[in-house]
Structures are given as C-alpha cells and as structure tokens.
Amino acid sequence: MTRSSFPILLFFFIISFCSTRTFAQQAEPLANSQTVRGTVLDADSRQPVIGAAVAVVGSTPPLGAVTDLDGRFTIVNVPVGRIDLRVRAIGFEDGMLNNILVSAGKESVLNIMLTGSITQMDAVTVTAKKERGEVRNDMATVSARTISVEETSRIAGSINDPARMVSAFPGVAGDATGDNAIVARGNSPTGVLWRLEGIEIPNPNHFSEEGNTGGPINVLNSDMLDNSEFYTGAFAPEYGNALSAVFDMHLRDGNDTKREYTLKAGVLGTDLTAEGPMPGVKGGSYLANYRYSTLSLLDKAGIVDYGGVPNYMDASFKLKLPTGHAGTFTLFGLGGISHIIQEDEGVTGDTLFNHADFGARMGVVGLEHTRTLSENSYVHSSISLSGNSSSTVYDEAPVPGEDLLVLRNQDDLNRWTTRIASTLNVKLDAKNKLRSGIILSFDRFGLSSNTWDDAEQRMKTDVDQRGDAATVQAFTSWKWRWNERWSMTSGVHVLHFGVDDATSVEPRMGIRFQQRRDQAFTFGAGLHSRTETLMTYFAEDENAENGTVQPNTGLGLTKAAHLVLGYERMLTEDIRFTVEGYYQHLYDVPVENDPHSAFSLLNKNDWFTNRALVNAGLGRNFGIEASLEKYFTHGWHFMATASLSDARYKALDGVWRNSRFNMGTVANVLAGKEWNLGGEGKDHVMTTGFRYSLMGGQYATPIDLQASIAAGEEVKSNDPWSKKEPAIHKLDVVLAYSIGRPKASHEFKIDVQNVLNSKTTVYEDYDDRKKAIEPVPQLALLPVIQYTLHF
C-alpha cells in the first residue's frame, strides 16, 4: 500500500469574545459542571437574533443567558448530565433543544435557528415550537428524520455510524453481511444521494467501488458531525439526482473560545479530534480529525499477523471564518484511503488459489459563503472539488498448487467533479418564503476495466473511456404558511445530464395540516430522477465483426413518481406515534434490450453492466410504515418501528416479478437507559441498550448447480428472482461507562453486533473447487470495543 497522509489544519490560539448577560450569577466554574455556549440566528435571513432568552429548563437556581449583538450566548456552571434548552424571542416561534448531553471534559457549542412567527404581536412571546425530531429543512414535509450524533453513540448496533443508525427507521434496511448500504422502501442502494454541507459528494465509505453507495466503514468520523437529515421519499425541490433516499450530513462548528481534544482508540480505528478558536477572527473556529486503522497499526507492530488486514485512514476538517459585512466563509474537507490484499490459500494454507489487491480513495474539499442581503433574505454559495477512485488486480492460479498466477481482472476507475452552487432564500412576508438555486457539475473521468474471457483465452475490455461530462440542476420552492395549522410547500426541480442530453422536469408538493397541537396530517408528491454510474454509459462490447460498440451512450434518466400520506400524533410530551403510506411508480427504468430478458438495473446494487439497455422498464413499490418512539427523557428511551411493503419490476419480457430488494417485512425494537452511579456531585454514568432487528430476506435467482459444474463457473437458472432468502434476525447490545472529571472525561464502551451469533444465509455463491453451492451468512458476532478521552 502506498503510504499517504492528510494535512490537518490546527490553530492553537485563543481570542477574546463578547460578554453576555446571564440569569445566573457569573462565577468561577464549579466542579462537575460545564459551559454551554452558542449562537442564535434567524432561519430566514441568517442574521443574529439579538436579545433572545436562552434558559436551561427546570434548573435550580435558574440558569440562562440573553444573546448579544452577534446572537451569541454563554451559560456557565451548567451541571453535567442531560438538559433541555428553551429559546424565546419576540416575533419568533419558541426554539426547544431537548436532551443535550453536557459532559465535564467538553463544552457544548450550539447553533440555533429560530423561525419567525406568522402571527406578529408586539412585545408578546410566541409559544408555538418545533416538535422533537423535526428536520432543519423547513421545505421538507414528509418522510424526513433528524439523526443526532448523540443518538448514534447510545443506540446499540450503530457503532457511532449514522449510516447504520438509519436502518432502525421505518422502511429502511441495511445489509446483513455488514456493509452499511441503505435499502429504502424496496429501492436499490444505488438510488441513495449523499450530501455534505449541502453539496453532493461521492460515496463516503471505505472499500467502496464505483456504482456502490455503501461500504463497511464510513469515512466521516462521528465526532465531526452535527445533526443530519435522512429522507426516504417525496423529496423537497432542492434535492435532485436521487430516487430512493437522501442522506444530508452537516459538519459541526468547532469551539470558538477554547481548545479541546478528543482521543479515541478502538477496534474500528484510532483517531484524534482537535478544535478551537481561529487566531484573530472573532467567532472563527477550526475543527479537524484524523483516523487510522487500528488493525493496521497492530499489524505493523507485529502484534497481529493474519492475511487480509484492512488498511484505511481518513481525515476531515472545517474552518469557520466570519467576516462581518462580507458574510461567513467556511472551508471544509473530507478524504479517505483504503486498501486490502487477500489471498485464498485453501483450508490447509499451503496452496495458493488466487490473489486480490483492492484499493479505494475518495475526497472532497469545498468553500462555502453565506451572506445576508437584507433582514429577510440571504444567499448561500459554494464551490467544491470531489474525487473518487478504485483499483483492482485479481490473479488466479490456473493449476492449483503452482506458483504461476494469471491476471483475470484489472480495474482502474477515476472521477473528479467540480461543483458550483448558489441558493437564494427570501422571506416575502410572515406567511411566504421562496428558495431558488442552481447547481453546476463538471466531471473529468478515466475508466478502465478488463476481464479474462475463458472461452477466448484472452483479456477483454469492458470499459475504456476518458472524457468529461456536465450536469445542470436548478430548483425553486415556495412555502406558504396559510395559518398556524396549514402549510404548503411546492416547487420544481430540473435536471439536465450532458452525456445523453437528457432533461427531467420534476414538479413537487407537500402539505401539512396541524389539526391540533399534538396531531398532524401530511401529504407529499413529486417526480424524481437519477443518472446511472458513468461506467454503464460507456461500457463496451464486441459485435459480430469483433468491432467495439458502446450500446448505452444514449441511455436516459431513470425516473419515479412518489406519493406519501402521513399521520403524526404526540401521545405524551415525550412519546410520538407516526404512520406513513407510500406508493412509488418507477418508469424509464434501464432494462436489457431483449424481449426475452428479465434484466433490470433496479436489481443492481453496485458495479455496472455492458448489456445493451433501453429505458423501457417499470417498477412499483408500495407499503405502510409505523413507528412508536419515546424520546430520551427521565434517563431512558425506546423505539419500535415496522414496515410492510411490496416491490416489483417489469423488464422487456413483460412479466411482473419480485425485485431483488422486496424484503416484505422490516421491524426494529430498541431501548436504552442511563444509570447515574457516582452519587451526588459525581459524574459516573453507565449506559445500557439493545436493538432487535427483523429483516425480510432479499430475492435471488437460483443457481443451477449441474450447469455450473459443467461450465466451471456460476450459472443461474431460468427463473429470475424467484427464490426468497430467509429472514434475518439480529440482536445487538451496547454497554458504556463514563467518568467525568473537571478537566477531562473518559468513556469505555462495547457495542456487540449479533450477540446470538446467528448465521442465517443472506445469499449463495457457487464454489467451483468444491463443486457446491456455498451460503454466505450474515455478519457474525462482532464486539466493537472503544475508549474515548475528552480533554
């Protein structure tokens, strides 16, 4: 593996900050207490909200602060533990931040957005407030969920990875073999859109291939993340190039007054996070993280010694640079490198059958600028450069036992994308808001893939293309808040893809009816589209004259119409029930241009095909989802989710079949509790939790064993997607113990995947050496141990 590292920008200076008025007497920091600070902004203009009252709910004596001229506040001597914050300002709806974890070793730094009230009353505080779990994007009406970093740290099975956390949501399933690919409402994982800081990014997972949206380990460390959003249907107009789900991630701001560090050491990696104020920049901050594979470190030290050690490293950073009248600039970056060498030496270990060398890389760096134009408008612009690549060299021994290895597969795939985007937000009045934007993407790529042809005894080219491509997206959305009960979002998204000169115009609409304070009905509908992987467009094949053809350069966009109906009910102050029914009509789906073929890209979850495709396929997904959730209050939480669904497709053979991802039933039950063990005045907390998951099996095309033996390779039967794999059952548990000190806090944590070590078959492969069909089971029991130090 080529040794490489990432530069990390760390600045170690402290700047002075503006004082704030507080409700509690300012004093020297008390033992087992911490500072809570942050900024309150107008969500419509991004201007600071001056004079907002920020209070710790239920504190004795009262703890709080009033925001200064920059919208900043500081509350000192907040007892460690969990708190709720209420934010009130004249002319705004109340802001309520629940379940904030205050730890001894790290300050809590918050960014709070307040929404203007539609009922303008002088010198009166408006009492309406957002419900818990509501997303920050007020243009989203249905199928939306906020993911907090704190949730991912305490929920069993998440192992601090938000991508694994979402599989607990209704209608969402993961990959039982351990990959964090996301299957939403019966759709292929390839339909997931990943975004970071509002910018589309490549798949942010280690060991990922082109066309794949999952991977075993997320490149982005959870210590860098702010609350993020996850959407599963009828997306808001600003989201394009997505069919099944949108994962909209955000980086948090670093502490702008104090240097802080977090050190983690565990099975999945050893990493350091640093944050603090930028020198000479009022309100400026830096945040940076670097992680390296723990197993790789142990391997290099000679402590572990086995084949196929996964090597990976990643780094990320965010610099916040406020400039006053010129607005706020933000520079951010993310990058990861992964590499693994695997050799199959059989059961005895003395016969080399094959050798595989795989490497993957991804990265993005971006510059954002947010500038207030008036008291009711602001513009957010960005420019970014992203890239991803992967390479594979696979050698095989034609005669087992001989030292000679013959090249069987070689891939080298590279893609670089420059994106320029700008979004204008305008609040016309208390009831009407407009948001419009444009996104320009310019790709440069080099694609090469060659595979050994046994029949012709030579390497054949599957793709060999270098060039460029452009994508243009534009959108506009309008939110109309008729009154405090009715609101509507409508708009349109336009996507133009330069490779095939295809254009999609996509109207969208969402309605919310708040029948009463604790009950609401929602509706969402819209058209959506997505491009395929570049390799699919430029795949090569040979015609009858042994000439090279590219059958899919004119392939169009895959499209879908989404319809969602929802109901929400707050049963108590901390228990919420939701149910959604949905229908998705997929059309212009790429299928093989053969009237006898059942091949459809709806069943692909990675890579590409060089079959000749046409946009003539169909698909339909429908189902109902429900969740019952108790938010974390009084030291415990629980969530139960269930979904019943059906996903089918039709290719050119005209037969409606089960799609690969028609899992049917997906359900989760999870709960957790915190135990304060240190007694009064001590910060000793034990956290326990479990998660039980039931996931219906995927569909597969049966393997024809006799035909496979005769051919010397896997041969499928003539009954596509007819075999339903067994349902997957999995129990995960988490146990953590944290100790808070005045200058530092420690946490010891173990998150055990598949405690019962279930070995249900996920899919099957043909093994020609054994002349047998071999099951591939779900991920075995895996204890993930981690130590964390905040200082």
Side-chain angles (χ1 to χ4, degrees):
M1 173 180 174
T2 301
R3 296 182 181 272
S4 179
S5 62
F6 294 93
I8 298 181
L9 302 176
L10 299 178
F11 302 88
F12 302 103
F13 298 95
I14 298 178
I15 62 171
S16 61
F17 56 89
C18 297
S19 62
T20 59
R21 296 159 42 209
T22 62
F23 299 144
Q25 182 179 0
Q26 298 285 351
E28 291 297 321
L30 301 177
N32 294 307
S33 68
Q34 188 53 272
T35 297
V36 176
R37 68 175 77 254
T39 306
V40 180
L41 300 177
D42 184 335
D44 297 319
S45 67
R46 293 302 194 265
Q47 292 194 60
V49 177
I50 303 171
V54 184
V56 178
V57 178
S59 60
T60 303
L63 295 173
V66 174
T67 57
D68 61 15
L69 295 177
D70 297 316
R72 293 155 63 85
F73 68 91
T74 301
I75 307 175
V76 300
N77 292 334
V78 179
V80 296
R82 296 185 182 273
I83 65 169
D84 296 336
L85 276 186
R86 178 182 290 112
V87 186
R88 288 178 170 171
I90 295 175
F92 292 89
E93 294 181 355
D94 271 15
M96 192 74 177
L97 282 74
N98 301 97
N99 200 36
I100 300 170
L101 180 61
V102 180
S103 61
K106 183 177 178 57
E107 292 187 346
S108 296
V109 182
L110 309 170
N111 286 323
I112 304 171
M113 299 289 180
L114 293 186
T115 302
S117 169
I118 62 173
T119 304
Q120 298 293 329
M121 294 180 290
D122 294 336
V124 175
T125 300
V126 182
T127 58
K129 65 182 180 70
K130 285 190 174 184
E131 298 296 340
R132 304 188 195 202
E134 192 170 331
V135 295
R136 72 175 78 186
N137 186 347
D138 60 355
M139 294 290 181
T141 306
V142 297
S143 305
R145 172 64 192 252
T146 292
I147 307 165
S148 74
V149 176
E150 189 273 333
E151 277 183 306
T152 64
S153 67
R154 61 177 159 82
I155 290 182
S158 296
I159 53 176
N160 295 329
D161 185 350
R164 297 183 186 275
M165 166 72 188
V166 300
S167 63
F169 297 161
V172 184
D175 187 326
T177 62
D179 190 274
N180 60 14
I182 299 170
V183 176
R185 294 180 171 175
N187 289 287
S188 167
T190 59
V192 176
L193 170 67
W194 290 94
R195 288 172 37 124
L196 179 64
E197 294 293 288
I199 297 170
E200 181 178 346
I201 64 171
N203 178 7
N205 286 285
H206 286 296
F207 304 102
S208 63
E209 296 178 315
E210 177 71 16
N212 190 316
T213 60
I217 301 170
N218 201 303
V219 173
L220 189 55
N221 193 293
S222 62
D223 287 328
M224 298 289 294
L225 285 173
D226 196 355
N227 290 350
S228 301
E229 286 86 45
F230 185 71
Y231 307 90
T232 54
F235 313 125
E238 65 194 78
Y239 298 115
N241 200 27
L243 282 183
S244 63
V246 175
F247 210 132
D248 201 359
M249 303 181 295
H250 305 276
L251 297 174
R252 67 180 178 89
D253 293 339
N255 192 326
D256 58 2
T257 64
K258 179 182 178 182
R259 286 178 293 174
E260 294 180 325
Y261 306 91
T262 300
L263 174 66
K264 285 185 177 180
V267 172
L268 295 183
T270 300
D271 66 270
L272 175 66
T273 303
E275 60 185 294
M278 290 288 292
V281 182
K282 182 179 180 181
S285 64
Y286 68 84
L287 175 67
N289 172 271
Y290 178 79
R291 175 174 59 178
Y292 197 88
S293 165
T294 300
L295 290 177
S296 181
L297 290 173
L298 296 176
D299 179 55
K300 288 177 171 55
I303 299 176
V304 298
D305 183 18
Y306 64 90
V309 173
N311 296 281
Y312 57 88
M313 65 178 75
D314 49 63
S316 52
F317 69 90
K318 180 179 181 180
L319 307 179
K320 182 181 179 182
L321 304 167
T323 63
H325 295 299
T328 298
F329 291 87
T330 302
L331 180 66
F332 69 93
L334 168 68
I337 295 177
S338 50
H339 179 252
I340 188 169
I341 295 176
Q342 294 179 305
E343 293 183 338
D344 183 355
E345 296 179 330
V347 177
T348 61
D350 57 4
T351 303
L352 181 61
F353 290 95
N354 57 61
H355 172 278
D357 187 330
F358 175 77
R361 297 153 292 279
M362 74 79 57
V364 59
V365 61
L367 177 65
E368 298 178 281
H369 178 232
T370 303
R371 188 166 188 266
T372 298
L373 302 179
S374 69
E375 64 179 9
N376 291 318
S377 65
Y378 72 94
V379 63
H380 178 83
S381 302
S382 64
I383 182 170
S384 66
L385 175 65
S386 63
N388 63 297
S389 63
S390 63
S391 60
T392 304
V393 176
Y394 176 73
D395 303 309
E396 192 173 69
V399 180
E402 293 188 359
D403 293 334
L404 176 65
L405 292 178
V406 178
L407 180 65
R408 297 301 194 189
N409 177 252
Q410 186 170 22
D411 307 313
D412 189 9
L413 311 170
N414 299 274
R415 180 178 183 177
W416 292 93
T417 304
T418 301
R419 284 191 176 87
I420 302 173
S422 186
T423 301
L424 175 65
N425 294 263
V426 180
K427 180 180 179 181
L428 301 177
D429 53 40
K431 296 184 177 182
N432 295 275
K433 181 190 297 186
L434 294 177
R435 180 177 300 159
S436 301
I438 187 170
I439 306 167
L440 306 177
S441 302
F442 306 96
D443 291 313
R444 293 286 299 173
F445 57 86
L447 311 173
S448 175
S449 178
N450 302 276
T451 305
W452 178 261
D453 188 307
D454 282 325
E456 299 186 17
Q457 290 294 295
R458 66 183 179 92
M459 294 292 289
K460 296 184 68 173
T461 299
D462 296 317
V463 61
D464 185 13
Q465 185 76 31
R466 282 160 179 75
D468 53 69
T471 304
V472 179
Q473 298 180 69
F475 69 89
T476 187
S477 57
W478 165 48
K479 182 166 186 177
W480 177 38
R481 302 169 69 194
W482 181 19
N483 54 37
E484 293 183 349
R485 300 175 67 185
W486 286 93
S487 64
M488 180 186 73
T489 300
S490 61
V492 63
H493 188 101
V494 178
L495 170 64
H496 177 80
F497 186 44
V499 169
D500 53 13
D501 205 28
T503 301
S504 177
V505 180
E506 304 160 8
R508 303 174 189 179
M509 181 179 68
I511 297 175
R512 182 180 180 88
F513 172 49
Q514 194 75 39
Q515 184 186 29
R516 60 192 194 203
R517 184 186 178 116
D518 62 350
Q519 182 171 276
F521 297 87
T522 57
F523 167 80
L527 300 182
H528 310 275
S529 65
R530 182 170 175 83
T531 61
E532 304 300 333
T533 173
L534 283 174
M535 293 185 299
T536 298
Y537 294 103
F538 298 109
E540 296 181 7
D541 202 359
E542 295 181 357
N543 56 24
E545 293 77 29
N546 292 326
T548 299
V549 294
Q550 292 180 321
N552 300 321
T553 53
L555 194 65
L557 303 170
T558 305
K559 300 176 182 178
H562 290 188
L563 178 68
V564 181
L565 290 171
Y567 171 74
E568 303 173 6
R569 176 72 182 273
M570 292 298 299
L571 302 179
T572 66
E573 282 294 321
D574 57 359
I575 299 180
R576 185 188 190 200
F577 172 74
T578 63
V579 60
E580 282 192 341
Y582 66 89
Y583 181 83
Q584 299 178 348
H585 171 67
L586 292 88
Y587 59 103
D588 289 352
V589 176
V591 294
E592 186 171 13
N593 191 16
D594 181 346
H596 305 292
S597 174
F599 181 86
S600 171
L601 284 190
L602 292 182
N603 298 315
K604 294 285 289 183
N605 68 340
D606 57 17
W607 211 225
F608 71 105
T609 179
N610 58 4
R611 301 176 188 234
L613 305 174
V614 291
N615 293 99
L618 295 174
R620 64 181 182 219
N621 307 327
F622 60 88
I624 187 168
E625 306 165 350
S627 69
L628 180 66
E629 180 177 8
K630 179 191 178 296
Y631 299 113
F632 198 104
T633 56
H634 309 295
W636 67 287
H637 71 97
F638 76 79
M639 181 167 67
T641 67
S643 62
L644 298 174
S645 62
D646 187 72
R648 298 179 185 269
Y649 81 99
K650 183 172 71 171
L652 279 190
D653 64 356
V655 180
W656 281 99
R657 292 184 169 87
N658 289 296
S659 76
R660 175 179 181 174
F661 305 102
N662 186 11
M663 296 180 176
T665 302
V666 177
N668 293 272
V669 177
L670 59 89
K673 180 169 177 56
E674 285 188 354
W675 312 79
N676 293 310
L677 304 179
E680 186 175 355
K682 293 185 178 181
D683 182 18
H684 293 190
V685 178
M686 182 174 71
T687 302
T688 60
F690 77 91
R691 173 182 167 185
Y692 176 76
S693 302
L694 166 66
M695 184 170 63
Q698 297 182 9
Y699 276 85
T701 301
I703 298 173
D704 188 327
L705 178 59
Q706 297 306 315
S708 298
I709 293 174
E713 61 181 6
E714 183 174 285
V715 177
K716 299 290 189 179
S717 74
N718 293 322
D719 194 7
W721 309 110
S722 59
K723 181 181 180 181
K724 176 76 167 175
E725 300 292 356
I728 306 295
H729 298 262
K730 186 165 75 82
L731 176 65
D732 305 325
V733 298
V734 63
L735 175 65
Y737 186 73
S738 61
I739 303 172
R741 304 291 188 192
K743 298 295 184 179
S745 63
H746 309 261
E747 182 187 64
F748 304 87
K749 178 181 178 181
I750 179 170
D751 193 335
V752 185
Q753 309 275 300
N754 192 10
V755 172
L756 303 180
N757 199 28
S758 301
K759 299 179 180 179
T760 306
T761 298
V762 180
Y763 60 89
E764 295 176 330
D765 282 331
Y766 172 70
D767 188 332
D768 192 49
R769 294 208 308 270
K770 299 179 180 179
K771 308 298 182 184
I773 297 174
E774 293 292 313
V776 178
Q778 68 188 95
L779 181 68
L781 183 149
L782 176 64
V784 180
I785 303 172
Q786 179 178 274
Y787 165 72
T788 303
L789 170 65
H790 296 290
F791 61 102

